[in-house]
Amino acid sequence: MRRALLAITGLAASTTALVVLKGPPGATQTAQAVPAGPASALPGEPVTPDAAPGPAASGAPASPRPGRSATPTRTPGARDGGTSTRPTTAAPRRTTAAPRTTSATRTVTGPVVTNEYGNVQVQITVSGTRITKAVALELPDGGQSTQRSDRVDAAYSGTSGQVVQRQSADLDTVSGATATSAAYQRSLQAAIDQAR
């Protein structure tokens, strides 16, 4: 029993010394030798210093197994001659790009969409990720087109229109103004895509 305890303690001390002296690949620190402490003895027995057996004497490999993430080190004052592990940590990554702020209020303008009655262009105001206002910058004008455009504008635009309520370009088509409604939705969708 005592011989087995001394052999295990000696093996642990020699492995620790090899790991500390060898160090991880690419390390820039200077390795320092760790003296092996005496094995703990049972009461009434003399304490003998551990002789670190070489790889041939212990029958163990000379280097630790590859792929281990912790370096075994001798715990001072350990009564059972065991080892403890200290995990290695990598330095945190630093980034130079500023994070995108989502709380800023910005205005995004959609493209001009042309239909058979004229041009339609929509502009939205976005706060964070929420649409807070929609404005028709351009709508068909003249004759019945003006009436249709007014109905589309009243249904979709403003701070309480369908755009703000639904937060999307999925809007109800205004009766009698199908082409203007479709052009409004296309310009609006392009503005929403730019705002993301």
Side-chain angles (χ1 to χ4, degrees):
M1 176 73 176
R2 288 191 302 264
R3 288 181 184 171
L5 182 60
L6 288 174
I8 291 172
T9 304
L11 176 61
S14 66
T15 303
T16 301
L18 286 173
V19 169
V20 170
L21 290 175
K22 183 175 179 184
T28 57
Q29 295 180 340
T30 309
Q32 297 177 355
V34 177
S40 60
L42 298 174
E45 292 184 345
V47 176
T48 56
D50 290 339
S58 66
S63 62
R65 288 184 292 169
R68 299 183 80 178
S69 61
T71 305
T73 56
R74 181 115 176 141
T75 305
R79 297 190 61 80
D80 61 355
T83 59
S84 66
T85 57
R86 194 173 33 211
T88 57
T89 57
R93 289 186 178 185
R94 293 181 182 232
T95 58
T96 55
R100 182 177 174 175
T101 58
T102 57
S103 61
T105 301
R106 58 203 185 280
T107 303
V108 183
T109 305
V112 174
V113 178
T114 304
N115 64 23
E116 63 260 34
Y117 303 105
N119 295 332
V120 178
Q121 186 175 28
V122 179
Q123 183 180 71
I124 58 173
T125 303
V126 180
S127 179
T129 58
R130 183 165 177 75
I131 301 170
T132 57
K133 184 178 179 182
V135 177
L137 298 178
E138 201 173 337
L139 287 169
D141 194 18
Q144 289 190 350
S145 293
T146 302
Q147 293 174 353
R148 292 183 186 114
S149 295
D150 289 344
R151 289 200 312 264
V152 168
D153 195 34
Y156 298 159
S157 299
T159 56
S160 59
Q162 284 188 33
V163 175
V164 173
Q165 290 173 6
R166 297 190 181 177
Q167 295 294 304
S168 75
D170 185 22
L171 310 174
D172 295 333
T173 301
V174 175
S175 178
T178 305
T180 304
S181 296
Y184 190 107
Q185 291 173 29
R186 283 178 52 204
S187 182
L188 172 63
Q189 184 62 59
I192 291 172
D193 291 343
Q194 288 179 48
R196 289 185 181 153

